[in-house]
Amino acid sequence: MFLHSVNLWNLAFYVFMVLLATLGLWDVFFGFEENKCSMSYMFEYPEYQKIELPKKLTKRYPAYELYLYGEGSYAEEHKILPLTGIPVLFLPGNAGSYKQVRSIGSIALRKAEDIDFKYHFDFFSVNFNEELVALYGGSLQRQTKFVHECIKAILKLYKGQEFAPTSVAIIGHSMGGLVARALLTLKNFKQDLINLLVTQATPHVAPVMPLDCFITEFYMTVNNYWVLNARHINLTTLSVAGGFRDYQVRSGLTFLPKLSHHTSALSVVSSAVPKTWVSTDHLSIVWCKQLQLTTIRAFFDLIDADTKQITQKSKKKLSVLNHHFIRHPSKQFEENPSIISDLTGTSMWVPVKVSRWSYVAYNDSDKIYFAFPLANHRKTFTHAYCQSTMLDTNSWIFGCINSTSMCRQGVDLSWKAELLPTVKSLTLRLQDYPSLSHIVVYVPSVHGSKFVVDCEFFKKETRSIQLPVTHLFSFGLSSRKVILNTSGLYYNIELLNFGQIYQAFKVNVVSKCSGGKEEMTSIYKVHIPWSYEDSLTIAQVPSSTEISLKLHVAQPENDSHVALLKMYTSSDCQYEVTIKTAFPQILGQVVRFHGGALPAYVVSSILLAYGGQLYSLFSSGYCLEYTAILDKEAKPYKVDPFVIMIKFLLGYKWFKELWDAVLLPELDAIVLTSQSMCFPLVSLILFLFGTCTAYWSGLLSSTSVQLLSSVWIALKRPAELPKDTKAMSLDLPVLTVVFLIVSWTTCGALAILLSYLYYVFKVVHLQASLMTFRNNQPVNPKHSRRSEKKSNHHKDSSVQSLCLSANDAEDSLRMHNTVINLLAWVVLLSMPSLIYWVKNLRYYFKLDPDPCKPLAFFLIPTIAVLGNTHTVSVKSSKLLKTASQFPIPLAVGVVAFGSTHLYRVPCFVVIPLLFHAFCNLM
């Protein structure tokens, strides 16, 4: 029935939309760098010692447990409590295991062994029974309260010790990080119980998929508390995102809100973390060796030598985190570094007067100071740049004041250097250091190791090049290019007009070298000044290197910085930089940032088609095909202009007051604007994707019904077509009551699923009856349905009645297939709570709180009535005209209020179904 009405032009359009969506999905799921994380291994067998909690807690939280991680001799020694280390609590995320603590716990243990256990950390982990808290938010508050009890239980394990801790550090993965932040919202929680919070791939801004109201309410409570009480929150917090490899939690959601009076929070992407420089997926972020090593180095630098616990000084915490996660100068962390260094001894002093200088050190026995006088260079150049391939942590570059050829003391400029994967570099603006007479580069004695030191002076104008990005709608057909002709070591390419999340580009860097140096390496760093989301690319030259250019966070409106492509190059090479728009990656950004809103647009399109079918039933007496009515009714101009108009009017105070007076929720478009997620034409793109999905889901549901009916006919010959269209099934009231009881006593989503399956069974039975009837009737291919109706006028009354029943059954099936399509999305959106309930059935027979229970109360009777509804009774109803008008405003409402609040979508579906059911009764 559905397949016969397919229009080839419509089919071609929907196939094209599928291709576009596939390009976007491919970019999200596969269009990123390979996993460069090294696996972290345990040197000894990991053990998890269960910590005994009070019986009251175990009864209150039967599914949750607390464990202490250990290996080998450490695990054996610490089976006898109390403990003597520094407590760290690991909180797993959505469906996460408490055993994920082993990676960072093992690395911390090895680090403690290296310093003979002068300090060591005790890693605890909470077993949340791998709950799906990202999909069902009803247990988030319960998890938060349990973690509070765990912290108190952990601190009791250290009672009587000389350096007993009074607080714990928390590492939270995914939703575990949000639970840690929620601790501060508890009434009886003391903020001093947490001294440091590190979150990994935690969506702080908003839930990834807001499938129930409990998740959004939890987020609102936590974020509002942190914003309103920012002045009083002294908790140092670090949020680490995984970058583009993490397609489950996009990095933009992990950035903590920037508040001018709250400076103890840092947010960074793992690709920008020094000594890490890799993107991680959602799971590898907990075992990525590079990142865990960085984290443990920071933890050991945070220890206060006097208390042998993590320091309480907020300034030191931020300094340590900045040192390890933001800008590493290739120096060991010092709380109060000495700025003045002694330059003494028998070292050789060599003056260097050229503007470009290179030195290769290999097996030299003497220490050498190379002094660069600045007097002449200041007249010609604006900047000095030096780099060294020796990556040790010693001081290597100094500034001398009022010196002629050598100085006894110098300003240690090494603290201002930047560590890169293959070099450490320093760029100085000469006018910022007017008192310096010399720059001194120190080359230590080496034994068999080779390294290279390069320095040059340059004018900023010669190394800063502007490159405007190509237009969004150039689709990669045009490009812009710059050629670096000068043989410098460092370039800044300013990427003009690049600051929006919907932009995506491919940058191709081609290097051509004339020298014969071996193993020449260039580093290309994309620097985003308004957020710590830099990425690095290492290229062996000569080569052709492609760099992907897209953002996690849009440029703030009041920010005038320019995104940069920093190029650390070889002096013997020339470089050609080409940029062009990457259309597939733009589609990927649409999917990445707005893919979660697609169900709302799908349901909006189906509602428009549903309303069109009801109206055709009212106006012409028969129901149009789903594909024809979808093509006719599912138009963006029926939805988008109204949403845009409402958003515009909400900018006026009087309208906003009126809006609030009638208790309407905040418009989702305003929520997206506050999160800097406004794409041009994104609503149109999503509507087209939604219509395409609605088309294919309708095709799938119709085909499924036909296949199931064929199976039903093969197994059991169905009854005849119903004669009395007003008659209701005798089992209808009983089944309705049973499903309502199931909803009340177990899980609302389970009852919705059962009632949906009952509805599908009724439709399959009707389809099978119609197929059997048609197979038993003579076929006249020359006559259409309308000609069949006319010919029936000449037949006897019994045959005429039978044919009318067949036509009405066909109309009913068309309507039922649309309803099945609608209900399928309702069932799909309610499935997470059902999965959660099934997974925790051994602990809780009744889901509490249940987000689907109110919905089930209205939906179950409605589905029961609709399963016994036929168009012949509906089209004679006085309510049909009203029922046909409801889906259009509800289609607008789904987009306006359900795009970022998916749990509201089923509510907009229930209303027209309810009116449809009333049409059968009134």
Side-chain angles (χ1 to χ4, degrees):
M1 180 178 63
F2 188 100
L3 293 170
H4 296 308
S5 62
V6 172
N7 182 287
L8 291 180
W9 286 109
N10 289 345
L11 183 62
F13 171 75
Y14 292 128
V15 169
F16 175 70
M17 294 307 299
V18 168
L19 292 176
L20 291 183
T22 303
L23 284 176
L25 290 170
W26 186 93
D27 180 71
V28 171
F29 292 107
F30 304 103
F32 42 70
E33 65 181 46
E34 62 181 5
N35 193 350
K36 297 178 182 178
C37 280
S38 299
M39 178 64 76
S40 52
Y41 294 97
M42 285 76 254
F43 287 83
E44 298 175 275
Y45 188 77
E47 295 186 36
Y48 305 90
Q49 179 183 347
K50 186 176 179 180
I51 303 298
E52 293 297 330
L53 298 174
K55 290 184 179 180
K56 288 184 179 180
L57 281 181
T58 56
K59 287 183 179 180
R60 195 185 311 165
Y61 308 102
Y64 301 158
E65 297 168 320
L66 177 65
Y67 288 88
L68 171 66
Y69 176 79
E71 294 178 21
S73 59
Y74 169 87
E76 290 297 324
E77 292 172 5
H78 290 80
K79 285 182 179 179
I80 304 175
L81 305 174
L83 304 173
T84 58
I86 304 169
V88 180
L89 178 61
F90 175 80
L91 303 180
N94 178 59
S97 168
Y98 67 95
K99 294 182 180 181
Q100 290 172 316
V101 72
R102 63 183 177 270
S103 294
I104 194 166
S106 182
I107 292 173
L109 184 58
R110 300 284 83 79
K111 177 73 172 177
E113 287 179 348
D114 291 342
I115 60 174
D116 296 326
F117 283 93
K118 180 182 178 181
Y119 310 112
H120 74 275
F121 289 90
D122 299 319
F123 275 83
F124 298 85
S125 184
V126 175
N127 179 16
F128 284 135
N129 193 34
E130 301 183 10
E131 290 181 334
L132 300 171
V133 288
L135 303 178
Y136 169 75
S139 62
L140 284 168
Q141 193 68 23
R142 184 162 57 244
Q143 286 191 2
T144 306
K145 292 178 179 178
F146 180 74
V147 172
H148 184 200
E149 299 296 336
C150 286
I151 292 174
K152 293 188 287 186
I154 289 170
L155 294 177
K156 286 181 182 179
L157 301 176
Y158 295 85
K159 276 192 173 180
Q161 298 301 305
E162 183 180 359
F163 298 101
T166 58
S167 58
V168 302
I170 295 181
I171 299 177
H173 173 239
S174 188
M175 293 298 287
L178 187 70
V179 169
R181 287 180 63 216
L183 286 167
L184 275 63
T185 66
L186 299 179
K187 291 183 179 179
N188 300 323
F189 185 79
K190 297 178 181 179
Q191 189 182 135
D192 295 338
L193 291 177
I194 309 177
N195 52 41
L196 178 68
L197 173 59
V198 177
T199 66
Q200 299 173 335
T202 296
H204 292 293
V205 176
V208 177
M209 292 290 285
L211 295 173
D212 64 55
C213 59
F214 307 121
I215 295 179
T216 55
E217 288 173 1
F218 190 81
Y219 266 88
M220 190 178 298
T221 301
V222 173
N223 288 331
N224 286 347
Y225 181 89
W226 276 64
V227 170
L228 297 175
N229 298 276
R231 295 181 185 274
H232 309 292
I233 296 178
N234 297 319
L235 175 60
T236 303
T237 307
L238 171 69
S239 175
V240 183
F244 288 109
R245 280 194 61 82
D246 189 350
Y247 53 80
Q248 296 183 49
V249 176
R250 61 178 180 82
S251 296
L253 291 177
T254 68
F255 279 70
L256 292 161
K258 292 183 178 179
L259 303 174
S260 58
H261 49 272
H262 183 48
T263 58
S264 58
L266 292 174
S267 303
V268 63
V269 180
S270 61
S271 59
V273 175
K275 294 191 175 182
T276 300
W277 296 306
V278 296
S279 177
T280 65
D281 59 53
H282 196 63
L283 291 179
S284 68
I285 198 169
V286 299
W287 56 256
C288 182
K289 187 176 181 180
Q290 296 95 312
L291 182 59
Q292 302 310 323
L293 283 171
T294 301
T295 305
I296 291 303
R297 292 188 199 106
F299 270 51
F300 275 89
D301 282 341
L302 286 166
I303 297 174
D304 189 322
D306 296 328
T307 63
K308 294 189 177 181
Q309 297 292 325
I310 289 180
T311 181
Q312 298 296 326
K313 301 176 184 176
S314 297
K315 186 177 180 181
K316 180 179 178 180
K317 293 178 189 176
L318 282 174
S319 298
V320 171
L321 296 179
N322 270 287
H323 180 93
H324 288 282
F325 287 89
I326 304 299
R327 186 183 178 92
H328 198 297
S330 190
K331 293 271 290 179
Q332 297 289 353
F333 174 79
E334 296 179 24
E335 186 175 359
N336 298 302
S338 56
I339 303 300
I340 305 298
S341 298
D342 293 329
L343 307 179
T344 57
T346 59
S347 304
M348 183 187 303
W349 283 79
V350 179
V352 181
K353 296 183 179 180
V354 295
S355 61
R356 180 175 296 137
W357 167 85
S358 181
Y359 180 79
V360 180
Y362 182 75
N363 206 21
D364 292 337
S365 57
D366 296 329
K367 303 175 182 178
I368 305 176
Y369 288 102
F370 293 95
F372 298 81
L374 299 179
N376 293 329
H377 292 315
R378 290 184 189 275
K379 299 176 183 178
T380 311
F381 305 106
T382 61
H383 288 72
Y385 173 82
C386 288
Q387 67 181 27
S388 173
T389 60
M390 188 177 188
L391 302 181
D392 65 0
T393 57
N394 294 325
S395 296
W396 64 286
I397 189 165
F398 307 89
C400 285
I401 301 173
N402 300 325
S403 174
T404 55
S405 60
M406 61 179 293
C407 57
R408 295 184 178 276
Q409 288 186 326
V411 178
D412 191 351
L413 299 175
S414 306
W415 291 102
K416 297 184 179 295
E418 179 183 15
L419 178 65
L420 296 168
T422 58
V423 296
K424 52 186 178 183
S425 66
L426 174 66
T427 304
L428 295 177
R429 193 169 71 160
L430 297 181
Q431 72 178 47
D432 292 340
Y433 301 90
S435 59
L436 295 185
S437 60
H438 289 72
I439 292 176
V440 178
V441 175
Y442 171 60
V443 177
S445 60
V446 292
H447 302 284
S449 60
K450 176 184 176 182
F451 66 93
V452 181
V453 183
D454 296 287
C455 287
E456 67 174 353
F457 292 85
F458 62 87
K459 282 186 177 181
K460 180 184 178 181
E461 296 78 14
T462 62
R463 302 300 172 83
S464 293
I465 303 166
Q466 293 184 341
L467 178 61
V469 298
T470 50
H471 195 272
L472 179 68
F473 296 110
S474 63
F475 301 107
L477 300 177
S478 62
S479 63
R480 286 177 178 156
K481 180 190 301 183
V482 294
I483 299 176
L484 310 180
N485 289 317
T486 58
S487 55
L489 299 172
Y490 173 77
Y491 295 91
N492 263 341
I493 297 182
E494 299 179 0
L495 302 168
L496 303 181
N497 307 318
F498 174 53
Q500 301 300 325
I501 54 176
Y502 54 79
Q503 294 175 300
F505 306 95
K506 285 183 180 180
V507 178
N508 191 45
V509 182
V510 178
S511 56
K512 299 177 182 179
C513 306
S514 58
K517 289 186 178 180
E518 298 179 358
E519 298 181 357
M520 290 188 296
T521 302
S522 293
I523 300 174
Y524 312 130
K525 178 178 181 179
V526 178
H527 174 59
I528 309 300
W530 55 84
S531 64
Y532 299 115
E533 54 176 286
D534 297 359
S535 59
L536 287 87
T537 303
I538 303 173
Q540 298 294 325
V541 293
S543 63
S544 177
T545 305
E546 188 174 274
I547 302 170
S548 179
L549 202 64
K550 49 194 174 186
L551 295 173
H552 297 292
V553 179
Q555 184 174 14
E557 291 183 1
N558 57 351
D559 195 302
S560 59
H561 291 92
V562 180
L564 301 174
L565 174 61
K566 294 186 174 184
M567 300 181 62
Y568 302 87
T569 59
S570 173
S571 59
D572 294 325
C573 300
Q574 290 187 343
Y575 295 81
E576 182 180 281
V577 181
T578 306
I579 187 170
K580 61 181 180 180
T581 301
F583 183 66
Q585 294 187 33
I586 292 175
L587 295 174
Q589 290 291 81
V590 172
V591 173
R592 181 175 288 108
F593 283 85
H594 292 278
L598 185 62
Y601 285 87
V602 175
V603 171
S604 179
S605 296
I606 300 174
L607 281 174
L608 290 173
Y610 181 46
Q613 284 185 321
L614 288 173
Y615 186 77
S616 71
L617 196 62
F618 166 75
S619 59
S620 62
Y622 64 93
C623 184
L624 291 176
E625 288 280 3
Y626 176 77
T627 50
I629 203 68
L630 184 70
D631 179 56
K632 179 181 177 182
E633 298 293 335
K635 304 296 182 183
Y637 60 78
K638 294 186 177 183
V639 175
D640 284 345
F642 295 97
V643 178
I644 295 170
M645 188 183 304
I646 295 171
K647 181 183 176 182
F648 173 76
L649 290 174
L650 283 170
Y652 292 95
K653 185 178 179 181
W654 64 270
F655 190 82
K656 183 68 168 66
E657 292 175 349
L658 180 63
W659 185 274
D660 294 336
V662 294
L663 303 178
L664 287 173
E666 189 174 23
L667 198 68
D668 283 2
I670 295 178
V671 176
L672 295 175
T673 302
S674 66
Q675 297 176 11
S676 301
M677 286 176 55
C678 287
F679 278 55
L681 305 178
V682 68
S683 186
L684 173 62
I685 296 171
L686 287 174
F687 194 93
L688 294 177
F689 282 166
T691 306
C692 173
T693 308
Y695 173 87
W696 292 110
S697 64
L699 178 61
L700 179 63
S701 63
S702 177
T703 306
S704 300
V705 167
Q706 293 187 40
L707 290 175
L708 289 173
S709 61
S710 299
V711 173
W712 180 261
I713 292 173
L715 295 176
K716 182 180 179 181
R717 188 177 182 85
E720 296 180 353
L721 290 171
K723 301 288 183 173
D724 187 359
T725 56
K726 287 286 186 180
M728 290 289 178
S729 174
L730 296 177
D731 58 353
L732 176 62
V734 176
L735 282 174
T736 303
V737 172
V738 169
F739 290 154
L740 288 174
I741 292 174
V742 169
S743 171
W744 186 261
T745 57
T746 58
C747 174
L750 174 63
I752 291 174
L753 177 62
L754 294 175
S755 58
Y756 173 72
L757 294 176
Y758 165 77
Y759 182 81
V760 171
F761 167 76
K762 297 291 288 186
V763 176
V764 167
H765 187 269
L766 179 61
Q767 175 75 59
S769 300
L770 180 61
M771 291 174 67
T772 303
F773 170 76
R774 283 179 171 170
N775 292 335
N776 294 333
Q777 297 298 312
V779 179
N780 188 356
K782 296 183 180 180
H783 292 282
S784 65
R785 182 184 174 192
R786 291 184 178 274
S787 62
E788 183 181 342
K789 282 187 175 181
K790 291 180 180 179
S791 65
N792 286 339
H793 179 70
H794 302 287
K795 299 179 181 179
D796 58 68
S797 59
S798 61
V799 175
Q800 184 180 9
S801 174
L802 193 60
C803 290
L804 284 172
S805 296
N807 293 328
D808 287 329
E810 187 176 332
D811 277 341
S812 298
L813 282 171
R814 288 174 178 172
M815 187 64 71
H816 284 314
N817 281 318
T818 305
V819 174
I820 285 178
N821 198 8
L822 264 179
L823 290 176
W825 287 94
V826 174
V827 172
L828 186 64
L829 292 173
S830 64
M831 278 299 98
S833 61
L834 175 61
I835 296 170
Y836 178 91
W837 174 76
V838 171
K839 189 171 173 36
N840 292 273
L841 194 55
R842 57 176 173 166
Y843 301 109
Y844 313 104
F845 184 72
K846 180 180 179 181
L847 183 64
D848 185 31
D850 189 347
C852 295
K853 189 177 293 182
L855 176 68
F857 180 79
F858 292 97
L859 192 59
I860 290 171
T862 303
I863 292 176
V865 173
L866 289 177
N868 293 270
T869 297
H870 302 282
T871 54
V872 69
S873 59
V874 171
K875 62 187 177 184
S876 61
S877 172
K878 297 178 180 179
L879 286 177
L880 181 57
K881 184 178 181 180
T882 304
S884 66
Q885 294 171 344
F886 260 91
I888 296 178
L890 291 173
V892 177
V894 167
V895 173
F897 301 108
S899 299
T900 61
H901 299 82
L902 290 178
Y903 63 89
R904 294 175 181 166
V905 171
C907 302
F908 289 95
V909 174
V910 170
I911 297 173
L913 293 179
L914 197 60
F915 272 87
H916 187 178
F918 282 144
C919 287
N920 193 64
L921 304 174
M922 301 174 63

